[in-house]
């Protein structure tokens, strides 16, 4: 039976949040999919509050212990153990800044999350390559785009998938998708979506410009077949993949919108009705506001409304091949946006799954990666 994604009228209590986290950990569903049940249960049992200070303190303490264990294992030459401990630390630190670093303690945990992931990535085979390219945006934007490159072993010039998450999943959460692509001989670039992580821009119209210097860098590499990368955006990140597919159909092989919006998500009635979906732990509105750069509720609504692709007149022009995926009962992003996209412009592929946001099943991510790998391989020829 589908697992319905319902909406509540208030935030969760501490005890409700604890039960939710343990349930998601059992099911290995984001954001609780990076730690074992035992690790999660240990922190949850002594969690004193959902406020940023108590929240960050509980998770970062566990993260520092795991990171120290990773350092000790690395110094002893036990590299597989070290990698496992660094990934545990990354999982703890990720939750310490979750859903967004809207407090100094959470911001510190976000920095440690990057440290732990890079420490683990240095022990991957082959290791992760952290790359920074210059970026020229608007006044107040950052001046670089940072991303993580992973290459499959034994492939001379692999095609590439650029992947990113939504408002809370950043480049450090792309491991599972990257692993599946690498097994198919496809390189991956994990990047932070606009307004998140180390992105140089807030989530405004035009923020897709942050991807262009990455595309330029890929096209110039002799050891990658990166002239036409695939673009995979999960959750809110699916919006940016859709935007790129319509604005730059000649620069990408394909785009995947996995649970993102297009128009109806940004309307006032949906903004109000989607405040407390069962699929989100806490602070969804606050996290969206930080991504947008909105300081008030009024700006939140205004900034969201200006993202509509329908109102921008984008949907009836040329478009790169697209795959649209979601759960039929999503209450974070309206499935009506999929119907809207299908009804405009060039034909698109669609796969709907049971359940709520993103249609999480054991088949969902493999299907997405299979389709995207096939598209980048075909267009790399």
């Amino acid at each position: 039976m589908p697992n319905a994604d319902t909406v509540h009228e208030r935030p969760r209590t501490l005890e409700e949040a604890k039960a939710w986290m343990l349930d998601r950990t059992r099911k290995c569903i984001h954001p609780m999919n990076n730690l074992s049940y035992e690790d999660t249960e240990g922190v949850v049992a002594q969690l004193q509050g959902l406020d940023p200070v108590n929240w960050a303190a509980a998770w970062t303490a566990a993260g520092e212990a795991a990171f120290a264990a990773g350092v000790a294992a690395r110094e002893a030459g036990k590299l597989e153990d070290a990698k496992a401990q660094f990934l545990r630390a990354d999982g703890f630190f990720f939750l310490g800044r979750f859903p967004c670093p809207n407090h100094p303690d959470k911001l510190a945990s976000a920095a440690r999350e990057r440290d732990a992931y890079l420490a683990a990535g240095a022990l991957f085979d082959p290791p992760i390559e952290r790359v920074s390219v210059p970026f020229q945006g608007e006044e107040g934007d950052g001046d670089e785009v940072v991303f993580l490159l992973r290459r499959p072993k034994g492939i001379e010039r692999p095609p590439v998938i650029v992947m990113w998450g939504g408002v809370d999943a950043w480049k450090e959460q792309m491991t599972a998708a990257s692993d599946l692509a690498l097994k198919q001989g496809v390189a991956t670039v994990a990047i932070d979506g606009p307004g998140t992580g180390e992105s140089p821009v807030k989530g405004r119209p035009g923020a897709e410009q942050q991807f262009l210097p990455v595309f330029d860098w890929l096209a110039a590499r002799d050891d990658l077949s990166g002239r036409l990368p695939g673009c995979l955006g999960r959750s809110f990140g699916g919006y940016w993949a859709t935007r790129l597919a319509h604005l730059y159909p000649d620069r990408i092989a394909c785009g995947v919108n996995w649970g993102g919006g297009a128009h109806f998500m940004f309307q006032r009635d949906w903004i109000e009705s989607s405040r407390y979906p069962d699929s989100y732990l806490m602070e969804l509105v606050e996290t969206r506001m930080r991504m947008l750069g909105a300081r008030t509720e009024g700006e939140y609504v205004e900034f969201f409304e200006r993202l509509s692709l329908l109102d921008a007149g984008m949907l009836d022009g040329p478009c790169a091949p697209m795959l649209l995926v979601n759960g039929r009962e999503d209450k974070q992003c309206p499935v009506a946006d999929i119907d809207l996209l299908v009804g405009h412009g060039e034909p698109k592929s669609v796969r709907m799954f049971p359940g709520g946001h993103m249609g999480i099943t054991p088949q969902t991510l493999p299907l997405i990666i299979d389709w995207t790998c096939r598209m980048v391989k075909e267009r790399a020829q």
Side-chain angles (χ1 to χ4, degrees), residues 139-152:
E139 183 177 354
D141 290 344
D143 59 4
E144 66 175 359
V145 181
V146 176
F147 56 91
L148 305 176
L149 174 68
R150 296 181 68 189
R151 295 173 46 87

Side-chain angles (χ1 to χ4, degrees), residues 149-152 158-163 178 181-182 185-189 224:
L149 174 68
R150 296 181 68 189
R151 295 173 46 87
V160 185
I161 298 173
V162 181
M163 54 182 64
S178 180
L182 292 172
V186 175
T188 63
V189 163
L224 297 170

Side-chain angles (χ1 to χ4, degrees), residues 79-139:
L79 300 186
E80 283 301 312
D81 289 345
K83 181 173 67 174
Q85 290 296 338
F86 287 137
L87 287 174
R88 284 182 70 230
D90 168 74
F92 286 125
F93 289 133
F94 159 62
L95 285 167
R97 63 92 172 155
F98 185 85
C100 71
N102 54 355
H103 183 276
D105 292 356
K106 286 189 170 186
L107 191 62
S109 191
R112 293 297 283 148
E113 176 192 7
R114 290 192 288 271
D115 292 341
Y117 193 73
L118 289 174
L123 300 175
F124 288 1
D125 184 21
I128 287 176
E129 180 182 351
R130 184 183 186 274
V131 182
S132 172
V133 295
F135 175 72
Q136 292 184 336
E138 299 180 4
E139 183 177 354

